[in-house]
Amino acid sequence: MKLYRLTFGAAAAMLLASGPAFGQATAPVAAPEARAASGTMLSIDQLYQPRSLIGTTPEGYAWSADGRQLLFLWNDEGYSFRDLWVYSLDSGERTRLTSLGREADPKSERRGISEALFLGNDRIAFVVDGNLHIREADGASVQVETDKRAIRRLSLSPDGQTLAFVSGNPVDPRNRVTQGGILWTRDAAAPGGNAARRLVGNDDPKIYVSDYHWSSDGRAIAFEESDDRAMPERDIYYYAKGELQNNRVIRAFPGDETSRTRIGLIALGEAAPRYFERPDPLHHLWGFGLSQDGRRLFVNSSDLEVKDHIVYVFDTQTGKRETFYRERDPKHIRPDWKVAWAPGDRGLVILTDRDGFGHLYHKPSAGAAPRRITRGEWEIESFEVDASNNRIYFVANESALPERQLYRVAMGGGAVERVSPATPGTHTPVWSPDYSRAASFFTNDTTPPELLVIDPATPAQAKQVTRSPQPEFDRQTWAKVSYVEFPSHVDGTKLIGRLSVPADFDPSRRYPLIVGSVYSDAVRNQWGGRRAHPTWGLDQYFVARGYLVLNVNIRGSWGQGRKHTQAQLNSYGETDINDLESGVRHLVSKGYVDPSRVGLWGSSYGGLMTIMSLAKKPGVYAAGIAGAPATNVWHAYPSQMWIMGPPDGRDMPARYEAQSPLYQVQGVRDPLMIIHGTRDPVVLYSDTVALTEKMIANEQMFELVTLPGASHSWATDNLPQTRFAFRKMVDFFNLHLKPER
């Protein structure tokens, strides 16, 4: 794999779709000497504001049936409320279709329209605030299905006749809505009113449809039904708004009963569905799909610890089940498996790392050996089968570990062809119905996310549809990002890190270093490093003030193969924190990091690594910040058993205690700050209380920042909370790491 460095110039070259092709510059950018020498001097409050400096990410792509128009959700002024836009391949123009965001208060931080799709005849269905609307051909919009709430997962049947969607379950005494709900269909040509037919659903809010797929003829729907009735409910009490609150959630711990799932099939004219039972309904379900002729249904599944990968195929008429594919590996920890029908229903295409790296295989029948389609020391993240042209399109890091580029390959194998532009970065595609175009969510280290439309025959001529950053963005000097390679100081394994340095970086100087935010899969060539984290501005703030910022592709992360991943088995707070230390050692050895001024931070699992690093490696870090830290793996989600193992065996409880900061915290000697929201259902605030009780009993000093009513995503709940928490972090690191600016 190739390593490289990007400079700011790539961002300046992004263009509007109506202009030249992607990669050609349109207007000059302010000369570097006109900007601050070290980087942006914007404050935390200026970096995080209602009108985002980096703009609003374009989301929710949906193609018209003929592939000539593309819907997307966006705000061209940088506010959070996304309106409905359309891009025409024929004219090369984008057009705003709704202006609801102009009526919204920016301080409310409303997200706006959440999804949309074409209904045909210039009509569009879209969802805003959980309500279904239809935009008619004349531009008028009307709310429909007014008796339903939390509507989502819109899908039009392949014949264009029927619209399906999921809504929240009926109101229950606790006024809760589950993640799933009831599956409805309605005539796509129907006007307003409550015209939907209840297809599948249960009045018990703990039984719900969580996913569904149309048959190719549009006459039936296969669906996934989840049943949480046996799972425990937990009361999370907290004080907010002057009174006691209760966030009651369905929440299992390792060893508890988990959700039961099953796959059903219902024809639009039938009164009741048929169900296809697996041997163990508690096993994970990773996907399912009907064959083109509708006669067979695959179910991609595994055991709870993801050590036993099984793909079943059912006869949809008789319900007969066969084990089509099976592989067991007692060291496996990542369920990155994906499955699809091969062209002509000639068996299955399976994405698996069975031979060391995640690649594609064709298995024509249950008795046939899998035939390898792709190979190499790189991995495939996702794929789609273009059955009409007998080939496969996929997303992979063949070009470099941190990248996600687009490729295609013939079903028979052979040469792999890249079909995304030469620009390094990350693509997330939505393909047109005939695979002649990809609508790609594109970003890289110097470019905030934008919408590109790519013709795989001429990828260099990709069109940029959006320009999201606000004018102030181009007037700033941003961090330089590069990728560094170094060996593990424990076992020599090749590790890769993402390093951000000031624009006037001087390798002869010694800088303070912040490692983080630490997590798995944290080394990506995209703006801010991690799409789900809003820390892009925090990182830029630190770098501009004279810090270096490093992230490491720790063991357990995707992209470097099965051997790299499996080293993390039963090793929370051990192998992973050794990898982080290896990154620190590497930069110290280069001479430009002051070993006495190294900080570390992360949230959730990253908080676990932070506390474990301080506990097990005193003196390596001058300070650490743990956000919503997972301090007790006994209270993790059962899915974490992939790594930490089941809650039984001769090595228990020692195995769980060795992976829990709660039982290791006595080793902490260096400054620690904990940030945690009291409403958090993922990592319980009570676990932080238990940890701090231990530290107080041990007379260990720490700082606790409590966020009343905050969720697990404490950095994204609302802007005032984000700014408050980030300012606390800045003050803490400045105190202990003493930057020179």
Side-chain angles (χ1 to χ4, degrees):
M1 296 180 184
K2 297 177 281 291
L3 299 178
Y4 48 82
R5 180 165 70 191
L6 293 177
T7 60
F8 178 73
M14 301 295 281
L15 311 176
L16 296 178
S18 56
F22 172 63
Q24 300 174 7
T26 52
V29 180
E33 57 269 21
R35 305 174 184 148
S38 59
T40 177
M41 287 294 114
L42 297 176
S43 67
I44 290 294
D45 287 3
Q46 290 171 318
L47 289 164
Y48 295 96
Q49 53 182 302
R51 188 173 187 175
S52 174
L53 189 70
I54 63 171
T56 305
T57 58
E59 307 276 357
Y61 310 155
W63 289 96
S64 59
D66 62 4
R68 305 309 300 171
Q69 296 186 89
L70 173 67
L71 289 176
F72 62 100
L73 311 176
W74 188 49
N75 189 305
D76 61 338
E77 297 179 327
Y79 294 111
S80 61
F81 195 105
R82 290 180 176 85
D83 267 302
L84 182 62
W85 296 70
V86 65
Y87 172 71
S88 168
L89 265 66
D90 296 328
S91 68
E93 296 180 353
R94 70 179 189 216
T95 305
R96 184 206 299 268
L97 299 181
T98 64
S99 297
L100 302 176
R102 291 177 176 172
E103 304 169 5
D105 179 4
K107 293 182 180 179
S108 70
E109 299 183 50
R110 289 176 62 196
R111 300 300 179 186
I113 298 175
S114 56
E115 56 182 297
L117 53 72
F118 287 102
L119 293 177
N121 298 320
D122 295 324
R123 301 170 71 241
I124 297 169
F126 66 92
V127 176
V128 61
D129 295 332
N131 299 311
L132 179 62
H133 297 252
I134 292 180
R135 184 183 186 275
E136 299 293 347
D138 61 3
S141 296
V142 60
Q143 181 181 341
V144 299
E145 306 299 341
T146 55
D147 61 339
K148 301 170 184 64
R149 61 183 185 141
I151 290 176
R152 55 211 180 272
R153 298 193 65 82
L154 304 183
S155 181
L156 189 66
S157 60
D159 60 10
Q161 301 299 306
T162 307
L163 174 67
F165 60 89
V166 174
S167 78
N169 293 87
V171 177
D172 73 343
R174 294 177 298 275
N175 195 33
R176 284 191 296 112
V177 179
T178 67
Q179 290 300 307
I182 296 170
L183 178 61
W184 305 82
T185 58
R186 61 174 283 143
D187 183 350
N194 301 322
R197 171 190 173 221
R198 181 168 170 159
L199 196 65
V200 179
N202 195 294
D203 288 336
D204 189 326
K206 293 184 178 180
I207 304 174
Y208 52 90
V209 173
S210 46
D211 194 10
Y212 70 93
H213 304 298
W214 283 100
S215 63
S216 60
D217 60 8
R219 298 179 181 178
I221 293 179
F223 62 92
E224 176 184 348
E225 182 183 80
S226 299
D227 183 348
D228 292 347
R229 287 176 297 179
M231 293 176 64
E233 289 193 5
R234 304 189 189 278
D235 292 319
I236 301 176
Y237 294 106
Y238 63 99
Y239 282 91
K241 300 179 181 178
E243 61 183 7
L244 180 66
Q245 310 278 348
N246 183 11
N247 179 27
R248 175 173 289 179
V249 295
I250 298 172
R251 178 71 163 81
F253 293 157
D256 286 343
E257 185 80 10
T258 58
S259 182
R260 294 174 177 266
T261 59
R262 59 178 178 172
I263 301 299
L265 178 67
I266 186 167
L268 298 191
E270 292 180 351
R274 290 164 283 165
Y275 287 97
F276 304 93
E277 306 292 346
R278 295 176 294 150
D280 192 334
L282 294 176
H283 280 185
H284 293 298
L285 197 152
W286 304 114
F288 60 97
L290 284 166
S291 58
Q292 282 291 110
D293 61 16
R295 296 178 180 177
R296 290 181 293 169
L297 170 77
F298 77 77
V299 176
N300 183 22
S301 66
S302 76
D303 64 318
L304 289 177
E305 297 176 47
V306 301
K307 305 299 184 280
D308 197 9
H309 180 204
I310 311 171
V311 181
Y312 299 110
V313 170
F314 293 86
D315 183 304
T316 57
Q317 296 301 312
T318 66
K320 182 180 178 181
R321 181 186 72 238
E322 71 172 335
T323 300
F324 194 90
Y325 173 87
R326 186 166 196 168
E327 183 204 359
R328 177 165 179 77
D329 182 350
K331 295 182 179 180
H332 207 270
I333 68 169
R334 286 190 66 106
D336 295 318
W337 309 297
K338 293 177 176 63
V339 178
W341 286 101
D345 295 336
R346 295 186 297 272
L348 298 176
V349 177
I350 302 173
L351 172 59
T352 172
D353 61 352
R354 57 179 290 141
D355 292 323
F357 289 82
H359 280 285
L360 298 172
Y361 296 77
H362 178 218
K363 188 172 171 64
S365 65
R371 176 182 59 82
R372 196 164 180 170
I373 301 173
T374 58
R375 66 183 65 243
E377 293 190 359
W378 45 274
E379 299 204 281
I380 294 174
E381 184 177 72
S382 61
F383 73 94
E384 291 188 35
V385 176
D386 176 6
S388 297
N389 295 295
N390 210 42
R391 57 191 172 195
I392 304 171
Y393 287 85
F394 60 90
V395 179
N397 67 346
E398 187 273 343
S399 57
L401 172 74
E403 294 191 18
R404 304 293 185 271
Q405 298 290 346
L406 309 184
Y407 302 86
R408 65 184 175 190
V409 66
M411 262 299 299
V416 167
E417 179 187 4
R418 178 165 166 171
V419 294
S420 53
T423 308
T426 291
H427 290 272
T428 305
V430 175
W431 290 95
S432 62
D434 62 357
Y435 291 91
S436 65
R437 299 291 191 281
S440 180
F441 179 102
F442 173 76
T443 175
N444 64 25
D445 289 324
T446 60
T447 309
E450 301 288 11
L451 167 58
L452 303 185
V453 172
I454 300 170
D455 181 342
T458 56
Q461 299 176 27
K463 301 295 184 180
Q464 182 178 338
V465 177
T466 59
R467 166 65 180 170
S468 299
Q470 300 305 298
E472 181 64 23
F473 179 88
D474 290 330
R475 291 193 284 269
Q476 304 302 312
T477 298
W478 302 107
K480 293 180 179 179
V481 178
S482 62
Y483 294 87
V484 293
E485 184 176 307
F486 49 90
S488 162
H489 72 282
V490 175
D491 60 16
T493 296
K494 181 179 76 173
L495 300 171
I496 293 174
R498 181 181 188 269
L499 179 64
S500 300
V501 305
D504 60 354
F505 174 69
D506 180 356
S508 68
R509 287 182 50 194
R510 280 188 154 193
Y511 293 83
L513 170 69
I514 294 176
V515 183
S517 69
V518 296
Y519 211 83
S520 57
D521 301 323
V523 174
R524 290 285 294 272
N525 188 334
Q526 59 189 13
W527 180 258
R530 291 178 59 195
R531 179 174 175 179
H533 243 242
T535 55
W536 67 268
L538 182 64
D539 289 350
Q540 294 288 348
Y541 182 93
F542 281 133
V543 171
R545 271 75 182 172
Y547 290 94
L548 309 187
V549 174
L550 173 71
N551 254 307
V552 177
N553 202 53
I554 61 171
R555 247 69 73 88
S557 297
W558 180 88
Q560 288 185 257
R562 195 170 192 160
K563 183 178 179 181
H564 183 273
T565 296
Q566 293 181 348
Q568 184 60 11
L569 181 65
N570 296 344
S571 192
Y572 278 140
E574 185 61 33
T575 301
D576 44 17
I577 67 173
N578 285 335
D579 290 347
L580 298 177
E581 183 185 2
S582 295
V584 173
R585 289 182 177 224
H586 173 72
L587 296 185
V588 169
S589 73
K590 293 294 182 181
Y592 42 76
V593 164
D594 183 344
S596 68
R597 293 188 294 159
V598 179
L600 172 75
W601 87 275
S603 193
S604 192
Y605 168 42
L608 179 153
M609 285 191 281
T610 297
I611 299 176
M612 288 293 227
S613 293
L614 297 185
K616 295 184 176 182
K617 301 177 181 296
V620 172
Y621 302 97
I625 300 175
T631 60
N632 186 358
V633 301
W634 288 96
H635 293 166
Y637 278 103
S639 59
Q640 302 307 308
M641 294 189 299
W642 307 343
I643 291 177
M644 65 195 193
D648 53 40
R650 288 183 293 179
D651 59 351
M652 291 293 286
R655 175 166 31 89
Y656 272 22
E657 291 180 357
Q659 298 178 83
S660 297
L662 179 64
Y663 300 98
Q664 309 296 324
V665 73
Q666 65 276 6
V668 173
R669 295 291 179 269
D670 301 304
L672 168 66
M673 172 183 280
I674 299 173
I675 303 175
H676 206 161
T678 56
R679 187 175 176 267
D680 190 343
V682 178
V683 175
L684 307 182
Y685 182 77
S686 58
D687 283 349
T688 283
V689 172
L691 182 105
T692 58
E693 284 179 332
K694 272 198 170 186
M695 295 189 73
I696 291 170
N698 295 337
E699 299 189 39
Q700 296 169 278
M701 300 303 293
F702 63 91
E703 293 188 29
L704 175 61
V705 178
T706 295
L707 303 176
S711 71
H712 189 60
S713 301
W714 54 272
T716 60
D717 284 344
N718 56 76
L719 277 174
Q721 182 174 288
T722 299
R723 293 192 290 252
F724 170 80
F726 285 175
R727 287 196 298 263
K728 295 293 289 186
M729 295 176 64
V730 166
D731 290 346
F732 185 77
F733 277 142
N734 284 347
L735 174 65
H736 296 290
L737 304 186
K738 298 178 176 59
E740 297 174 6
R741 293 177 180 149

